[in-house]
Amino acid sequence: MLKAKITGTGSYVPDKLLTNKDLVRIVDTSEEWILERTGIRERHIAAKDQTTSDLAVEAARQALKAAGVKAKDLDLIIVGTCTPDMFLPSTACMVQLKLNAKNAAAFDLNAACSGFLYGLSVASGYMSSGAFKKILVIGAETLSRFTDWQDRSTCILFGDGAGAVVLEATTGSNALLYTHIKSDAEYWDYIQIPGGAAKEPATRAVVDKRLTKIRMKGNETFKVAVKTLENLVVETLEKCDLKPSQLSLLIPHQANLRIIQATAKRLGLPMDKVMLNLERYGNTSAASIPIALDESVRTGRVREGDYILLEAFGAGLTWASALVKW
Ligand code: UT7
């Protein structure tokens, strides 16, 4: 059976930095509180004229170059995002236009922070069915556009960025071995942007009430995330018949250092086997895993034959995991 192999990775973050020190000037917080409660020191913010597809294209170009694949040879472009350029057309279509990937189909996928892994899962299905042979999966966000800069409990968390992978069909065993996706909408209101869409169109009143911005029940989300991810990583390894000691690297969604530490502890995994970069990027939602994966590849933390576990948790609530043999 055909499997999906990651043959190239890429990532991009905008130049502008927003440090914890900068945030102290905006809301009632402290550098220490942010670092201790989240693990974040700084995040990158898109320039006024940059949109999600701009960030996505930068990451995609790198991934295509690393894979040695031409944009015109792509069969499919999937963009995991909850901060699209606009409602219509999809951000994936804008990426197709900018890459001149004439022969691809393109669509967005919204599973919030789990969007990239949902994208991998969909792509792996297309690969194993034989429908597509070269797929670009991107996670890209400009969360800063939807951040409530008056809400100290959320504005400290988010950053902008994009990561991408090129997947190619293979009959070999070094490939994406397993993906798992799941949702539980009972907690739909834990993380939301309630206004600006069909339910609450963007009237002046809706905008003034800041309903077009992200709202999060942080502590409630934290508790479900820890419990869910602890079970998810154990179950994923069981499904793949692997012991935690066989894992070379865990690449978690970068939302909160304490959540990541709890997940690693559940597996008995030392923190040096966990990819961490949220200190520098904050929570970039769907972009966080492909950015961390690209960084792991480029810094030599991933070698041929390594088993790598990816996991994510986000609004929906949604969660997902993937096991890759590099
Ligand atoms: O990526 C998608 C998934 N998202 C997540 O997984 C995020 C999960 N949640 C979190 O990471 C954490 O819940 C937060 C970092 C958002 C918050 O940390 P927490 O330890 O859960 O804090 P809390 O919300 O329980 O708030 C504790 C206190 C409150 O004060 P009182 O009521 O105890 O007086 C907050 O008002 O901390 C206060 N607080 C702050 N203080 C200083 C909240 N935000 C801040 C702040 N600076 N920025």
Side-chain angles (χ1 to χ4, degrees):
M1 194 175 76
L2 286 171
K3 290 197 183 78
K5 180 179 168 70
I6 298 174
T7 56
T9 64
S11 62
Y12 174 80
V13 291
D15 292 338
K16 191 183 165 194
L17 264 186
L18 182 71
T19 64
N20 289 353
K21 202 178 201 148
D22 298 328
L23 283 162
V24 171
R25 288 188 218 110
I26 302 173
V27 285
D28 178 18
T29 189
S30 68
E31 290 178 67
E32 299 70 34
W33 193 96
I34 302 172
L35 188 60
E36 272 166 29
R37 305 308 294 168
T38 70
I40 302 165
R41 281 182 198 275
E42 59 192 29
R43 62 292 285 145
H44 293 250
I45 304 292
K48 275 206 171 74
D49 60 350
Q50 273 180 319
T51 63
T52 297
S53 67
D54 293 323
L55 311 189
V57 163
E58 296 289 340
R61 287 208 171 103
Q62 283 183 22
L64 287 165
K65 192 172 169 207
V69 168
K70 292 195 173 62
K72 72 168 175 45
D73 294 330
L74 288 171
D75 301 313
L76 176 65
I77 299 170
I78 302 175
V79 177
T81 187
C82 57
T83 54
D85 289 12
M86 41 193 162
F87 279 144
L88 291 171
S90 70
T91 301
C93 281
M94 299 314 292
V95 170
Q96 175 183 30
L97 177 76
K98 291 171 189 178
L99 290 177
N100 197 22
K102 280 276 179 209
N103 300 308
F107 63 83
D108 287 359
L109 187 159
N110 181 354
C113 301
S114 312
F116 175 74
L117 293 187
Y118 267 62
L120 279 193
S121 184
V122 170
S124 108
Y126 279 124
M127 287 279 178
S128 54
S129 76
F132 295 125
K133 299 248 170 351
K134 293 186 197 302
I135 303 180
L136 178 64
V137 180
I138 304 172
E141 307 277 12
T142 44
L143 288 166
S144 63
R145 300 274 155 74
F146 301 90
T147 298
D148 182 348
W149 296 105
Q150 296 179 36
D151 177 5
R152 68 174 183 170
S153 70
T154 55
C155 75
I156 55 154
L157 301 171
F158 305 119
D160 299 335
V165 298
V166 172
L167 296 169
E168 294 184 74
T170 180
T171 49
S173 62
N174 293 52
L176 185 54
L177 300 183
Y178 174 80
T179 60
H180 173 77
I181 60 172
K182 186 81 178 25
S183 316
D184 187 351
E186 188 185 331
Y187 307 109
W188 69 272
D189 62 342
Y190 276 20
I191 311 171
Q192 54 170 322
I193 301 176
K199 191 175 172 218
E200 292 265 23
T203 60
R204 169 54 68 85
V206 163
V207 172
D208 285 350
K209 279 193 257 172
R210 304 201 300 283
L211 294 175
T212 54
K213 304 294 180 185
I214 299 166
R215 295 181 168 199
M216 181 166 74
K217 296 183 182 176
N219 197 261
E220 289 87 336
T221 305
F222 184 96
K223 286 177 192 150
V224 185
V226 169
K227 210 169 128 208
T228 305
L229 290 171
E230 284 180 346
N231 292 331
L232 177 68
V233 289
V234 170
E235 284 162 17
T236 302
L237 289 186
E238 278 172 9
K239 285 273 182 202
C240 297
D241 237 347
L242 288 172
K243 295 189 208 64
S245 59
Q246 290 176 274
L247 265 190
S248 296
L249 195 63
L250 171 69
I251 303 185
H253 168 47
Q254 311 279 314
N256 185 307
L257 180 59
R258 291 178 292 139
I259 297 176
I260 296 171
Q261 286 168 333
T263 313
K265 193 172 168 198
R266 178 70 180 81
L267 287 178
L269 210 62
M271 285 307 284
D272 64 1
K273 283 192 168 184
V274 181
M275 176 60 195
L276 288 175
N277 64 10
L278 86 164
E279 192 177 343
R280 286 174 286 128
Y281 301 128
N283 179 349
T284 57
S285 184
S288 87
I289 291 177
I291 291 174
L293 175 62
D294 181 50
E295 209 168 298
S296 306
V297 171
R298 285 175 199 275
T299 55
R301 283 190 80 173
V302 175
R303 279 179 293 266
E304 196 175 339
D306 281 356
Y307 288 109
I308 305 161
L309 174 59
L310 318 175
E311 48 88 344
F313 184 89
L317 297 171
T318 58
W319 55 91
S321 65
L323 202 292
V324 181
K325 186 175 182 193
W326 201 257

